[in-house]
Amino acid sequence: MNKRILSTITCAFAVFSIALAGPKKKVHTIGDSTMSEYVANGSTDKRGWGQMLEQFFNLDNITINNRGKAGASSKSFYKEPGFWDTLVKGGKDEMKAGDFLLIQFAHNDEKNNGADGEEVKRYFMMKGATYRVSGIDYRGTTPYETYKEYMRNFIKEAKEMGVKPIVVGPVSRKYFDGDGSIISRAGKHDLGESYSIIKDGLFLEEQKVGPNDHTYDYVASAKDVADEFDDVPFINLTELSAQLYIKYGNSYCTSHLFFESDKTHTTALGAALIAREFAIQLKKQAETETNEKKKAVLQKLASNVIVGNGASVTPYNGDMGLAYVGSEKEQTFTLSAFDMAAESGSVKVSVNNGFKVSLNKTSWSDAVEVKYSNSTLMTPIYVRANTSKAGISTCQLTVNDGSATKTQELKIENIDRDSGEEAYAKWTLENDQKTATTKFLEASEVAVSEMVIEEGHQRVPVSPSGHKKMMLFNIEGGEWPGIDIDEVSTRYIEFKAKVPKGKILNLNEISLDICGFGGNNSCYDVYLSTKDDFSEPELLGEGIKTPKDKCSTISKELLKKVPQGQTLYIRIYPWMRVSEKVHGKCIGISDVMIKGTVSDAPVPPAPKKPVHKASKPAAKTGGAAKSGNAAKKPATPVKKK
């Protein structure tokens, strides 16, 4: 064969192979707090199972984009800006043809015990019982109707984009029944034992149907919706997680798999075990599914599942961000392993190039050894970056479990401290003062959503001693519901500051003091976002059942460049971890601070003036000269994408 022809064929085959491999596909996960991301460097060990998925997939081919959101129901995730709209209308997280979408909702759909929140609010408004409206949560859906509508919306709109949806049963709650051998109906999201409904013009509560009636079963409804489509599989993670809890028993689940006294949210170990159950079931169903179209979807994703893969470190993204030269920049990783070949042993984790690793944040070295038993390992490890000089520093993080060695690149970009001018916005909130004192930044008054400011009723916390008065914030109507297990997306306190034109903000720190008054059950999450729709928020701090009247300081060192005209938003989402409605509780806040330095924004280059070429005279013809318009060919219509 001619060498040139052979070379052409070889090149063509190589190009075809690259095209066939294509870019990595994304697995987008949408759901609630049981799925969502939690900061590994945060104050708690709470994790969502979507956060732990990546350790069970071949990340050479798959990227996990976990978009689970604490407090989300199918309704709120679909309707509120910054969630579903960013997946379908643009942005870095937009879904693409060939991607996969995992859909898991129910926990917050159960608000109002199976009644739709908006319908219940309209009912009480019509009845003139406005005092009842503030206690109704709009996120609630009816399992047999509005829940199905939103689940269908996710599926239809994803399919229109060429994305492959998979409906996932919501993870069970740790509601053991009787002798601990089963998880209750309510634990599996079947409200048949006690539900609410608007029927014949009446709002009825504590209604009941038999165990074989699945009208109020969100899991059955999720499966029903998946069954309406011939190419949408359903994976019953509800039952899988329930059996997992039963296997380990109530005592072990409480001490190891679930967060504190919580029966809904899992630890890193609990989340990893649930993610692993999902991965195992995905492979099983890919083999046993009889519907060919559903089977094809499962097989494409299951081909990238890796269940028994020795010890590994998550997150796999080793980008440690930015740091100032000479600072101590650390990041928390999770070291895990399941079904190890040996019953007991040890795993060695090492780093190089001036990076350090630790198991306790006290002693740092080039390597640590972690012992394990029962063929299972799950522990945090801490890595301190090398920030000795400006520029990008990298290292190889190596994990050796005795039978295999894995490496992962870590990197950090170190920059010199900026010499710009000090900038800040500070809301002391003293004496009902809602505005901020500022330097360079343009700050707005403190704002609230579904909250009220208790003006003229400031209080002083017990600790720290000598702390000044704090501004008090209460829920609208003064009655905190007994149904909140985490934050409510529409209930928050907001502080915002804008970077002026012509300046760049080098953000260094955000801090605030916060306290729960009136009891030991106050909870809150504090976030930062630079998006107008508050998408892509960063968790700054959290508090779960904080001690009565005790002040806590949340202080987060940051290193972000914020361009001119961009606004920084700080939001505090409060709720009460109580079993029944309560009054007389409020959140105290003071000394909210945004601090950094500003420098002049670079002046963009002036646009180049277009060069106008002299037009050539029209060619002479035998007839009359044609007009310029007539001589032009009609424009080819542009086909819109």
Side-chain angles (χ1 to χ4, degrees):
M1 182 181 290
N2 184 289
K3 287 185 178 180
R4 181 176 295 177
I5 295 175
L6 180 61
S7 175
T8 302
I9 293 173
T10 303
C11 291
F13 181 76
V15 171
F16 174 75
S17 299
I18 294 170
L20 191 64
K24 292 199 288 187
K25 299 300 182 185
K26 281 188 176 181
V27 177
H28 307 271
T29 65
I30 62 173
D32 50 49
S33 57
T34 62
M35 175 188 270
S36 65
E37 296 281 320
Y38 295 91
V39 179
N41 293 5
S43 59
T44 72
D45 188 35
K46 188 192 298 183
R47 300 288 185 271
W49 70 269
Q51 187 174 2
M52 312 303 283
L53 260 183
E54 61 182 8
Q55 63 188 295
F56 303 110
F57 279 88
N58 180 357
L59 298 182
D60 291 335
N61 301 327
I62 292 289
T63 298
I64 307 294
N65 174 32
N66 183 20
R67 291 296 303 278
K69 169 62 181 170
S73 69
S74 62
K75 179 195 294 186
S76 69
F77 196 94
Y78 185 79
K79 295 179 72 170
E80 293 179 15
F83 303 117
W84 181 244
D85 58 340
T86 63
L87 285 167
V88 297
K89 294 181 182 177
K92 67 177 184 179
D93 288 337
E94 181 180 352
M95 298 183 295
K96 306 292 184 185
D99 287 352
F100 298 86
L101 175 68
L102 307 183
I103 311 169
Q104 179 217 261
F105 290 100
H107 286 84
N108 297 300
D109 287 83
E110 296 170 19
K111 305 297 184 183
N112 313 311
N113 293 323
D116 186 89
E118 290 166 308
E119 293 177 7
V120 177
K121 284 190 174 185
R122 285 194 296 269
Y123 170 86
F124 284 117
M125 290 295 291
M126 184 182 67
K127 295 290 184 181
T130 54
Y131 68 95
R132 290 288 305 270
V133 173
S134 63
I136 303 302
D137 196 319
Y138 105 98
R139 293 174 294 170
T141 61
T142 53
Y144 53 84
E145 189 174 26
T146 50
Y147 173 72
K148 286 186 173 182
E149 289 175 9
Y150 291 110
M151 295 292 279
R152 289 189 193 103
N153 289 345
F154 295 131
I155 292 171
K156 289 177 180 178
E157 292 176 26
K159 283 168 59 66
E160 287 172 2
M161 298 178 70
V163 175
K164 301 172 179 61
I166 298 175
V167 177
V168 182
V171 296
S172 290
R173 291 193 174 98
K174 186 178 66 72
Y175 290 178
F176 281 94
D177 211 357
D179 61 358
S181 61
I182 62 172
I183 298 295
S184 70
R185 287 177 75 179
K188 294 182 181 180
H189 308 285
D190 181 354
L191 304 184
E193 290 287 339
S194 179
Y195 65 88
S196 300
I197 186 174
I198 298 174
K199 185 177 181 181
D200 299 329
L202 296 174
F203 180 62
L204 306 175
E205 299 178 274
E206 297 183 5
Q207 303 297 294
K208 184 176 181 178
V209 293
N212 296 322
D213 187 331
H214 295 287
T215 306
Y216 290 87
D217 186 340
Y218 286 88
V219 181
S221 293
K223 185 178 185 304
D224 287 346
V225 172
D227 288 345
E228 293 173 8
F229 300 86
D230 61 0
D231 57 351
V232 177
F234 172 75
I235 293 180
N236 194 348
L237 192 58
T238 312
E239 188 60 35
L240 291 169
S241 56
Q243 293 304 315
L244 180 73
Y245 307 160
I246 292 168
K247 170 186 172 183
Y248 283 98
N250 194 358
S251 178
Y252 187 85
C253 285
T254 301
S255 60
H256 288 81
L257 305 190
F258 279 80
F259 172 65
E260 291 184 4
S261 58
D262 196 322
K263 295 184 178 182
T264 300
H265 302 102
T266 51
T267 61
L269 176 58
L273 288 171
I274 290 172
R276 186 170 183 269
E277 288 296 319
F278 172 83
I280 292 171
Q281 184 63 24
L282 176 62
K283 287 185 73 71
K284 285 182 179 178
Q285 277 187 225
E287 296 173 358
T288 60
E289 176 61 60
T290 56
N291 179 299
E292 290 303 318
K293 289 185 177 180
K294 293 178 190 281
K295 187 182 185 73
V297 172
L298 292 167
Q299 285 180 328
K300 286 180 180 178
L301 186 55
S303 63
N304 291 290
V305 167
I306 303 172
V307 177
N309 197 30
S312 58
V313 169
T314 54
Y316 285 98
N317 178 6
D319 189 349
M320 297 179 68
L322 299 174
Y324 284 124
V325 173
S327 65
E328 293 185 347
K329 180 64 179 286
E330 300 168 5
Q331 183 160 321
T332 305
F333 294 85
T334 299
L335 175 65
S336 61
F338 301 94
D339 293 336
M340 297 283 281
E343 177 74 13
S344 61
S346 63
V347 175
K348 183 179 179 181
V349 180
S350 59
V351 290
N352 59 6
N353 291 347
F355 284 64
K356 299 295 180 182
V357 63
S358 174
L359 296 176
N360 54 19
K361 290 191 176 183
T362 302
S363 56
W364 297 87
S365 60
D366 295 332
V368 293
E369 192 169 288
V370 186
K371 296 186 180 300
Y372 68 87
S373 59
N374 299 320
S375 302
T376 302
L377 171 63
M378 175 71 70
T379 187
I381 59 171
Y382 310 100
V383 175
R384 178 174 289 174
N386 178 1
T387 62
S388 59
K389 60 181 180 179
I392 294 177
S393 296
T394 63
C395 92
Q396 290 291 328
L397 185 151
T398 303
V399 179
N400 187 322
D401 61 16
S403 59
T405 300
K406 297 178 185 176
T407 60
Q408 177 180 341
E409 183 178 85
L410 307 183
K411 71 174 182 177
I412 190 162
E413 183 177 353
N414 304 317
I415 61 175
D416 292 318
R417 289 191 180 273
D418 189 81
S419 58
E421 297 183 75
E422 180 187 35
Y424 60 79
K426 182 176 182 179
W427 295 261
T428 63
L429 305 179
E430 288 185 281
N431 303 317
D432 296 330
Q433 182 69 30
K434 300 175 186 176
T435 58
T437 57
T438 63
K439 185 175 181 181
F440 284 111
L441 301 181
E442 301 167 1
S444 302
E445 284 190 354
V446 56
V448 295
S449 174
E450 298 183 10
M451 299 284 292
V452 294
I453 299 173
E454 298 278 4
E455 298 190 35
H457 295 87
Q458 294 194 325
R459 290 180 64 178
V460 178
V462 173
S463 175
S465 60
H467 196 288
K468 60 188 178 182
K469 291 181 180 179
M470 310 185 83
M471 182 174 280
L472 304 185
F473 298 84
N474 204 345
I475 191 171
E476 281 183 343
E479 183 178 79
W480 295 87
I483 56 175
D484 292 338
I485 57 174
D486 49 38
E487 67 190 54
V488 178
S489 57
T490 53
R491 183 200 304 150
Y492 55 83
I493 304 149
E494 182 177 80
F495 302 85
K496 61 181 181 180
K498 185 178 181 180
V499 181
K501 186 177 180 181
K503 298 292 182 181
I504 292 177
L505 172 68
N506 297 291
L507 178 63
N508 292 336
E509 183 183 359
I510 290 178
S511 60
L512 60 91
D513 287 346
I514 188 166
C515 179
F517 291 105
N520 298 320
N521 298 307
S522 298
C523 307
Y524 54 81
D525 288 333
V526 183
Y527 292 98
L528 166 70
S529 179
T530 56
K531 305 290 185 181
D532 292 341
D533 59 6
F534 211 76
S535 58
E536 302 176 30
E538 179 179 349
L539 183 65
L540 302 179
E542 56 196 331
I544 302 295
K545 301 183 74 171
T546 56
K548 177 182 177 180
D549 300 347
K550 182 177 181 181
C551 177
S552 297
T553 296
I554 291 174
S555 181
K556 183 85 169 182
E557 289 189 1
L558 299 160
L559 185 51
K560 293 179 180 292
K561 288 190 177 294
V562 187
Q564 59 181 332
Q566 194 164 70
T567 299
L568 291 157
Y569 299 86
I570 301 172
R571 283 186 185 175
I572 298 102
Y573 291 86
W575 74 98
M576 297 291 168
R577 183 69 65 79
V578 290
S579 57
E580 297 179 352
K581 298 176 181 178
V582 293
H583 293 82
K585 296 179 182 291
C586 54
I587 299 292
I589 300 174
S590 69
D591 296 312
V592 180
M593 171 76 88
I594 297 173
K595 187 166 64 174
T597 60
V598 293
S599 53
D600 292 334
V603 179
K608 293 182 179 180
K609 293 182 179 180
V611 179
H612 298 284
K613 294 182 179 180
S615 57
K616 293 181 180 180
K620 292 182 178 181
T621 61
K626 295 181 181 180
S627 68
N629 289 339
K632 291 179 181 178
K633 291 183 179 180
T636 304
V638 178
K639 186 180 289 185
K640 292 184 178 180
K641 292 184 179 180

